[in-house]
Amino acid sequence: MSNLPKLNPASVALLSILPVIDYNIVPIEVLRANHTSITLSDKIPRPKVTVQRIKIPTCEDGHLIPADIYRPASATPNEVLPAMIFLQTRGRISDEANCVVILAHYSLSPEVRYPVAVEESYSVFEWATNPDNASKLCFDPTKVAMDGDSAGASLTISTAVLAKRRSLKNKMKHQILYYPAIYPNAATESHKLDPICFPSNLDIKDLIGLPPVLMITGEADPLRDEGEVFARSLLEAEVVVSSYRVRGVLHGFLSIPPLHSKEVLEVIDMTTGALRRAFS
């Protein structure tokens, strides 16, 4: 037991009050309502941004994906900025990177199944890298990065692979992966048939030529090892990778408000630095 990670204060505080939940009994709607009702502490700094809500059509059947467009308040109205697509239902942004943030609300399981979320994520990226769409919102379609946490990080990888396979003209500038769900031990035939959904089963030829990666894992996260194993696979494919393990944090430490801590601010600084370098 001595090898167990020492949790940071925010994680200890949350676990001390967290009830035991039987996920087989509690409806998914109740879990989501409880999650979205939690608000950020007033101690967490907020960037000054303008927000525009839009809907992005998918490439396959045209159904609409809700998205929020965040733009630094310090930017002039016609200033063309880089852009970052966020694949998470909750998120924090920093205007220090001086970029437009596209927060895409992709469809969630169990209501939808593979490949809906994968194709939605790809559609958002294809839409963002289309010059006509980008010009309307004053961002550069040649400078679009993508990030996500947990399942959103897995979808980011899938989008990068699909963009390469489909020879999308404007390439992804950077991938930022927060504790991705990789499923490294998946050995069933169905897993092997859907490598886009399960990145661990991607062939190395799929990884060669992917955009640079910032990989963030949590020390006390069950997904820690699979993310770090995948980072090594990317390195073997000669992808530029920076990988950081954040000490003392649980899964979801970036997207669950009660887990916000100084470690979150440090990761945001890493993200800002990675984006500045990618967009320079």
Side-chain angles (χ1 to χ4, degrees), residues 1-5:
M1 299 296 286
S2 60
N3 291 329
L4 289 176

Side-chain angles (χ1 to χ4, degrees), residues 104-119:
H105 301 284
Y106 60 88
S107 298
L108 301 177
S109 296
E111 290 85 353
V112 302
R113 297 184 178 183
Y114 175 85
V116 174
V118 171
E119 291 296 343

Side-chain angles (χ1 to χ4, degrees), residues 35-36 38-41 44-47 49 51 53 68-70 84-95 101-106 147-150 152 176 178-179 252-258 260 264-265 267-268 271:
H35 178 67
T36 56
I38 301 173
T39 57
L40 290 174
S41 166
I44 301 292
R46 272 82 159 172
V49 297
V51 185
R53 290 179 169 82
D68 302 325
I69 309 297
Y70 295 85
M84 177 179 69
I85 299 169
F86 239 2
L87 292 180
Q88 43 193 107
T89 53
R90 249 182 203 279
R92 296 191 49 225
I93 60 174
S94 171
D95 58 353
V101 174
I102 304 168
L103 180 59
H105 301 284
Y106 60 88
D147 80 352
D149 74 332
S150 194
I176 301 175
Y178 304 123
Y179 36 85
F253 75 96
L254 280 162
S255 58
I256 300 175
H260 286 174
V264 170
L265 299 179
V267 169
I268 289 175
T271 300

Side-chain angles (χ1 to χ4, degrees), residues 39-246:
T39 57
L40 290 174
S41 166
D42 291 336
K43 296 180 181 179
I44 301 292
R46 272 82 159 172
K48 294 181 179 179
V49 297
T50 61
V51 185
Q52 180 179 356
R53 290 179 169 82
I54 65 169
K55 292 186 177 180
I56 298 171
T58 58
C59 302
E60 288 203 327
D61 61 11
H63 77 264
L64 300 176
I65 309 159
D68 302 325
I69 309 297
Y70 295 85
R71 186 176 177 86
S74 58
T76 59
N78 296 320
E79 183 178 359
V80 177
L81 301 176
M84 177 179 69
I85 299 169
F86 239 2
L87 292 180
Q88 43 193 107
T89 53
R90 249 182 203 279
R92 296 191 49 225
I93 60 174
S94 171
D95 58 353
E96 294 178 4
N98 196 35
C99 68
V100 171
V101 174
I102 304 168
L103 180 59
H105 301 284
Y106 60 88
S107 298
L108 301 177
S109 296
E111 290 85 353
V112 302
R113 297 184 178 183
Y114 175 85
V116 174
V118 171
E119 291 296 343
E120 286 183 349
S121 301
Y122 173 81
S123 294
V124 172
F125 183 74
E126 185 180 84
W127 175 91
T129 55
N130 181 301
D132 292 337
N133 299 325
S135 65
K136 294 174 184 176
L137 294 170
C138 290
F139 64 85
D140 187 342
T142 69
K143 293 183 177 181
V144 179
M146 199 168 202
D147 80 352
D149 74 332
S150 194
S154 180
L155 291 172
T156 296
I157 300 165
S158 300
T159 301
V161 173
L162 286 178
K164 188 184 83 163
R165 286 183 179 179
R166 297 173 182 177
S167 302
L168 204 59
K169 180 179 178 181
N170 289 326
K171 311 299 182 185
M172 189 182 296
K173 293 295 290 185
H174 209 87
Q175 300 176 77
I176 301 175
L177 310 176
Y178 304 123
Y179 36 85
I182 302 293
Y183 307 110
N185 298 319
T188 64
E189 186 63 21
S190 61
H191 279 60
K192 294 175 182 177
L193 291 173
D194 292 334
I196 286 293
C197 190
F198 303 103
S200 64
N201 290 321
L202 289 167
D203 191 274
I204 192 167
K205 69 177 182 294
D206 286 312
L207 304 182
I208 293 172
L210 290 188
V213 168
L214 171 62
M215 174 74 74
I216 302 293
T217 59
E219 184 183 21
D221 182 353
L223 301 187
R224 179 194 70 197
D225 290 349
E226 60 192 77
E228 294 173 0
V229 167
F230 187 67
R232 288 193 286 273
S233 296
L234 289 167
L235 285 173
E236 291 174 5
E238 299 185 353
V239 175
V240 176
V241 179
S242 298
S243 183
Y244 296 89
R245 179 189 293 184
V246 184

